[in-house]
Amino acid sequence: MLYVVIIFLCLSILLYLLLGGADFGAGILELITKSELRQNTRMLTYKTIGPVWEANHMWLIIIIVILFVGFPPIYSALSIYLHIPLLFMLLGIIGRGTAFVFRHYDAVKDDMQKVYNLIFTYSSFITPFFLGVIAGAMVSGDINPEATNFFDLYIAPWTSFFAISVGIFTVSICGFLAAVYLSGEETDQHIRRVFIRKARLLNIATVVSGGLVFFAAYIDGLSLMIELITQPVTLIILVLASLSLWLLWHFLNKQKTNQQKAVASRLVAGFQITMILLALGYHYFPDFLIMHNGVNLSLFNSAAVGKPITTLAWALILGSIFILPSLFYLIYSFQKEPES
Amino acid sequence: MDDLMAARSQMALSLGFHIIFACIGMVMPFFMATSHFFYLKTGDLNHKNLTKAWSKGVAIFFVTGAVSGTMLSFELGLLWPKFMEHAGPIFGMPFSLEGTAFFIEAIAIGFFLYGWDRFNPWFHWVTGLIVGISGLASGILVVAANGWMNSPSGFDYVDGKYINIDPIAAMFNDAWFTQALHMTIAAFVATGFAVAGIHALMLLKGRNVAFHVKAFKIAIIFGGIAAIIQPVSGDISAKDIAKRQPAKLAAMESHFETTKRAPLLIGGIPDEKNKTVDYAIEIPGALSFLAHGDFDATVIGLDQIPEENHPPVLVTHLAFQIMVIAGMIMVGLGLLYFFAAWRRKSWLNKKWFLTLFVAATPLGFIAVEAGWTVTEVGRQPWILYGFMKTSEALTPMPGITYSFLIFTLVYLSLSAIVIFLLYRQIKSVPELYSDNHSKKSAEPTQ
């Protein structure tokens, strides 16, 4: 049953990055969109993400619950040593969620909208950035429970070059996903071209910032790159992701004139991100939190024993029976016909 | 402020904030669905407008409740990692199920808010109802988890280790039912009276009368019935606490000495140093009766409990008194409404009548906050009653005061914005949902 829980955990992380990521990305896109097109981006975001954004956010809750029920030492260690970036991420989540709803449900449209927009866009940037920073800190080996001063205990782990570059990488991924996703929703050909251009730019940014992660790993003395390209499985996965770049650009090109091609672009974009996560997941599995002293917290040595895992697994299975079909139907219903 | 106090204050602030939004988020959908039902049955546009207006409220409160709930799920770890490390696997079951309920709620709200004119009207109605039902389920599950902190079960504690964990037994702990019952009814009371109060205020202003009359009626019927039955669940809770947490009951009632035929205190200010209560009205034997169903029963006082395990008496006592008084006023108002609706219809649009309900707007939430203060402060110094003290659960990270300040700021601004939004929402009702033909009729149609 532990494997059931682990599968749900991995799946939730993947879905949060893909769906929640596209969600955050919409805010990032708005931030980098020229002012004359901003209103357009905003409406498109509202139309496409409005019905599902709360559901997208739920994957994070599932991750948190799985961690504290199933792997309490990991949850506890994260909460202690990454308290500060978690706090920033939390502030981002609050700002984003509330601003999104406030700006659409405020009965009066006036200058307050500017405030909501400001909060929405910047928190859309902050949240994935710190999410990435936290992920980077978790595998960097910089968390050191034996340290004795405040800086080494609570600041150093997440301010390394590596952790910051993972943060930047995550932001690029979110922006990229959102651009690909939204370009498929846009019916106006001219504006669609703008989105497609952004999707390409952000795709390049993703590749470059991915390179930055490797560079940072090298500078910080982590053997990430060597290990990823010397393990046959991760190497194959990364090669597949790279090869699909060509496909993506091809479909994006087609999509300029034919909106129907959007599905293909989306699938390829999703595939690329899934591959990156898969390669990293495969590389680090089962370690979840790599500590300075070499005593890593893994999904096996940190798992709760016995009944908690079994009941958690059943709760997840049961939950997914209810959730997945209705979530699918929700996404399907709002996809099948354009809003009247 | 030391870190423990800062962490406790932050937790109290977060919970205090979340409770308001969670209550409204789980009860408003039922009001909305009721109004929606009348619209579908009769085609009355006022009911349609009301449904739409309330659904915006539901959206705003849902999201604020969701983000504040997310914050809590992080804060449990950020502030009390030592507690969560042990407790997570034991009381995680209700949280796992709550995840499902909440997810369903999020999906249903997507359907409902964006589904006007897209689906079969009754399917659309059902999605609105599901928002309410899954919200209610979330609330009950989270309260069950809190019940476990008051009444730990489902594990064996051997040599400082929590073993033989049974998450199902932990979820169905002795306190879950009484606490969930009391809280669920409280949510209906609080939301009912708050919503009714706001619409009563609009009625006093005399605009969109037909709209607000319908709104007031739905809200006060829910709130009034809930208020009238709440004392029954309160009595069940009191008997339960007397059995399981005598220290909490003693603090609630400032009952310093163990006595037979214990009196019930009404009001009063406890003096913790001299172990006396000033200015209280005593009803002989009533506490014994409330706690044990027998006027001559012995009620355990704080003298039977080691000094270091005493909860703060003053806060718990005052909070309890506030809750009871607020509750009683609402019982009275509930009865008044039903009497008026039955026998004195002319009262319903009298100024004094409406003013009473406007004044009662915050009462339910005052009672809810006070009730939670009793539950949480009354459990101190334990985070897990009888097993782990709050001070042992605290994060080792220093500087929690700063975190407390940041969150105070966030909560204050969020509250300000929500109040501002609601104000604008209510103010724009005339433009959005104006109904010329019914403006003149000030006569409520009961």
Side-chain angles (χ1 to χ4, degrees):
Chain A
M1 286 314 245
L2 179 58
Y3 278 95
V4 174
V5 175
I6 291 175
I7 289 169
F8 271 100
L9 177 64
C10 297
L11 206 68
S12 305
I13 294 173
L14 175 67
L15 288 171
Y16 186 58
L17 188 66
L18 287 180
L19 302 171
D23 221 21
F24 288 121
I28 298 170
L29 272 185
E30 197 177 310
L31 193 66
I32 58 167
T33 298
K34 281 193 214 127
S35 49
E36 64 260 31
L37 279 180
R38 272 205 188 148
Q39 187 53 26
N40 204 287
T41 316
R42 227 165 264 154
M43 286 321 293
L44 195 61
T45 305
Y46 177 64
K47 199 186 93 187
T48 50
I49 290 177
V52 290
W53 86 267
E54 193 56 55
N56 290 345
H57 163 84
M58 280 306 300
W59 297 109
L60 179 65
I61 307 281
I62 305 276
I63 295 168
I64 296 292
V65 171
I66 292 180
L67 283 183
F68 80 60
V69 179
F71 311 95
I74 294 177
Y75 176 80
S76 168
L78 280 178
S79 304
I80 294 172
Y81 301 109
L82 298 175
H83 186 118
I84 299 168
L86 277 167
L87 205 71
F88 284 127
M89 184 179 133
L90 203 49
L91 291 173
I93 291 173
I94 299 165
R96 203 195 113 76
T98 47
F100 181 82
V101 170
F102 292 169
R103 75 174 178 180
H104 293 297
Y105 284 95
D106 194 343
V108 188
K109 307 277 180 233
D110 59 6
D111 279 354
M112 272 308 282
Q113 289 290 329
K114 285 185 190 154
V115 179
Y116 305 141
N117 291 336
L118 206 69
I119 297 174
F120 178 74
T121 48
Y122 281 94
S123 50
S124 293
F125 175 82
I126 288 167
T127 315
F129 176 72
F130 280 102
L131 187 70
V133 164
I134 290 163
M138 281 165 70
V139 295
S140 67
D142 288 334
I143 292 177
N144 182 7
E146 281 136 33
T148 46
N149 66 65
F150 186 83
F151 182 83
D152 288 342
L153 273 169
Y154 304 111
I155 309 274
W158 57 276
T159 47
S160 68
F161 184 24
F162 177 72
I164 302 284
S165 59
V166 177
I168 296 170
F169 183 47
T170 315
V171 172
S172 318
I173 287 178
C174 294
F176 162 63
L177 283 171
V180 173
Y181 186 76
L182 291 180
S183 71
E185 292 293 316
E186 182 56 63
T187 42
D188 180 289
Q189 200 176 337
H190 168 67
I191 301 173
R192 192 159 71 235
R193 279 169 188 266
V194 176
F195 275 112
I196 289 171
R197 203 169 60 234
K198 285 209 191 313
R200 290 180 159 166
L201 279 173
L202 285 159
N203 186 237
I204 294 169
T206 307
V207 174
V208 171
S209 58
L212 182 71
V213 171
F214 281 114
F215 178 66
Y218 174 74
I219 298 286
D220 285 2
L222 304 168
S223 49
L224 186 66
M225 178 144 74
I226 312 290
E227 285 170 10
L228 280 176
I229 56 175
T230 49
Q231 278 175 342
V233 177
T234 49
L235 183 65
I236 293 169
I237 298 171
L238 288 179
V239 167
L240 279 177
S242 312
L243 286 179
S244 69
L245 281 175
W246 175 80
L247 262 181
L248 177 77
W249 286 60
H250 170 74
F251 285 127
L252 283 176
N253 209 23
K254 290 260 166 143
Q255 203 188 313
K256 275 186 190 167
T257 45
N258 183 356
Q259 204 194 343
Q260 305 300 323
K261 292 283 176 224
V263 180
S265 320
R266 282 177 189 168
L267 284 176
V268 178
F271 172 78
Q272 288 178 354
I273 305 306
T274 310
M275 287 300 116
I276 293 170
L277 209 60
L278 190 67
L280 292 173
Y282 181 85
H283 175 63
Y284 287 111
F285 186 83
D287 288 337
F288 210 80
L289 203 62
I290 296 174
M291 309 281 252
H292 189 71
N293 55 10
V295 186
N296 301 339
L297 296 181
S298 82
L299 292 175
F300 295 122
N301 70 21
S302 301
V305 281
K307 275 193 178 172
I309 288 289
T310 322
T311 44
L312 175 62
W314 278 112
L316 290 167
I317 293 169
L318 215 71
S320 58
I321 292 173
F322 283 103
I323 290 166
L324 293 178
S326 41
L327 184 64
F328 177 77
Y329 186 57
L330 176 73
I331 297 170
Y332 167 78
S333 319
F334 288 95
Q335 276 286 312
K336 66 180 174 182
E337 47 181 322
E339 191 118 350
S340 51
Chain B
M1 189 183 266
D2 64 2
D3 283 329
L4 179 61
M5 201 57 210
R8 282 184 56 195
S9 309
Q10 184 177 329
M11 202 68 199
L13 182 77
S14 308
L15 276 169
F17 182 88
H18 178 67
I19 285 166
I20 294 181
F21 294 90
C23 281
I24 301 176
M26 71 191 204
V27 174
M28 274 291 274
F30 288 101
F31 297 178
M32 183 183 88
T34 307
S35 172
H36 195 181
F37 178 82
F38 287 128
Y39 163 62
L40 291 177
K41 276 279 168 202
T42 62
D44 169 34
L45 277 182
N46 271 317
H47 275 127
K48 183 182 185 182
N49 290 336
L50 184 57
T51 311
K52 286 203 167 180
W54 276 349
S55 76
K56 288 189 181 170
V58 167
I60 292 170
F61 282 104
F62 176 76
V63 74
T64 330
V67 292
S68 55
T70 307
M71 285 160 85
L72 279 169
S73 68
F74 277 91
E75 282 179 309
L76 280 172
L78 292 177
L79 301 173
W80 319 108
K82 304 277 168 61
F83 166 67
M84 289 305 283
E85 195 168 337
H86 296 295
I90 315 176
F91 82 154
M93 191 63 194
F95 286 112
S96 324
L97 296 175
E98 196 252 348
T100 301
F102 189 49
F103 214 136
I104 292 171
E105 189 179 357
I107 293 171
I109 209 165
F111 273 115
F112 188 80
L113 291 178
Y114 295 82
W116 285 96
D117 308 321
R118 287 183 84 111
F119 301 108
N120 172 306
W122 286 103
F123 173 80
H124 185 223
W125 179 76
V126 167
T127 61
L129 193 66
I130 290 174
V131 175
I133 293 171
S134 46
L136 214 55
S138 304
I140 291 171
L141 288 162
V142 168
V143 174
N146 179 273
W148 179 78
M149 293 164 73
N150 283 314
S151 173
S153 57
F155 63 91
D156 292 320
Y157 187 70
V158 182
D159 298 332
K161 288 203 169 69
Y162 298 80
I163 56 166
N164 297 332
I165 294 169
D166 182 351
I168 308 277
M171 180 164 78
F172 294 111
N173 58 74
D174 290 339
W176 88 271
F177 180 73
T178 46
Q179 273 194 232
L181 181 71
H182 201 58
M183 182 65 230
T184 307
I185 299 174
F188 274 92
V189 180
T191 311
F193 273 84
V195 172
I198 291 170
H199 290 286
L201 183 67
M202 294 300 117
L203 281 174
L204 279 179
K205 295 195 170 172
R207 277 192 299 185
N208 295 77
V209 168
F211 176 92
H212 290 299
V213 159
K214 290 189 164 68
F216 177 78
K217 188 176 165 187
I218 292 173
I220 199 60
I221 288 177
F222 272 104
I225 292 175
I228 293 166
I229 59 174
Q230 182 69 315
V232 179
S233 93
D235 183 56
I236 299 172
S237 298
K239 290 192 166 52
D240 193 38
I241 289 168
K243 203 166 65 194
R244 281 186 303 95
Q245 292 182 303
K248 188 184 275 182
L249 184 82
M252 280 155 70
E253 273 298 320
S254 302
H255 190 57
F256 289 105
E257 275 169 50
T258 306
T259 39
K260 274 184 157 191
R261 212 175 157 73
L264 182 73
L265 302 188
I266 295 177
I269 297 168
D271 177 346
E272 286 182 63
K273 215 185 268 170
N274 299 321
K275 309 204 181 309
T276 52
V277 186
D278 302 324
Y279 319 113
I281 303 164
E282 291 192 14
I283 305 174
L287 181 61
S288 291
F289 181 74
L290 280 179
H292 301 290
D294 172 4
F295 283 102
D296 291 319
T298 305
V299 178
I300 296 172
L302 286 166
D303 57 344
Q304 297 276 317
I305 291 145
E307 190 101 24
E308 74 269 16
N309 292 347
H310 283 196
V313 178
L314 180 67
V315 176
T316 316
H317 177 82
L318 288 182
F320 181 62
Q321 301 292 322
I322 290 170
M323 178 186 78
V324 172
I325 293 166
M328 284 303 146
I329 296 173
M330 288 184 291
V331 170
L333 285 175
L335 291 172
L336 177 73
Y337 172 78
F338 288 114
F339 177 72
W342 178 46
R343 278 279 185 236
R344 296 277 188 281
K345 289 209 171 60
S346 64
W347 289 1
L348 292 173
N349 47 10
K350 287 266 164 46
K351 203 176 158 193
W352 64 267
F353 185 85
L354 292 170
T355 309
L356 276 178
F357 285 90
V358 173
T361 307
L363 269 188
F365 284 105
I366 292 172
V368 165
E369 298 287 2
W372 272 101
T373 307
V374 173
T375 316
E376 298 298 276
V377 176
R379 193 186 58 236
Q380 297 306 320
W382 302 102
I383 190 166
L384 183 58
Y385 193 67
F387 289 94
M388 187 190 273
K389 295 217 165 142
T390 314
S391 55
E392 296 163 353
L394 182 68
T395 178
M397 199 187 93
I400 299 299
T401 313
Y402 297 103
S403 166
F404 171 55
L405 289 177
I406 293 172
F407 277 94
T408 308
L409 206 70
V410 168
Y411 284 120
L412 285 180
S413 24
L414 273 184
S415 312
I417 296 180
V418 169
I419 292 169
F420 171 75
L421 282 178
L422 286 184
Y423 171 75
R424 303 230 279 200
Q425 203 77 252
I426 293 161
K427 220 176 100 180
S428 57
V429 162
E431 299 153 42
L432 293 172
Y433 312 111
S434 83
D435 46 334
N436 295 322
H437 60 282
S438 53
K439 260 185 186 169
K440 288 173 213 135
S441 102
E443 183 69 27
T445 42
Q446 295 296 329

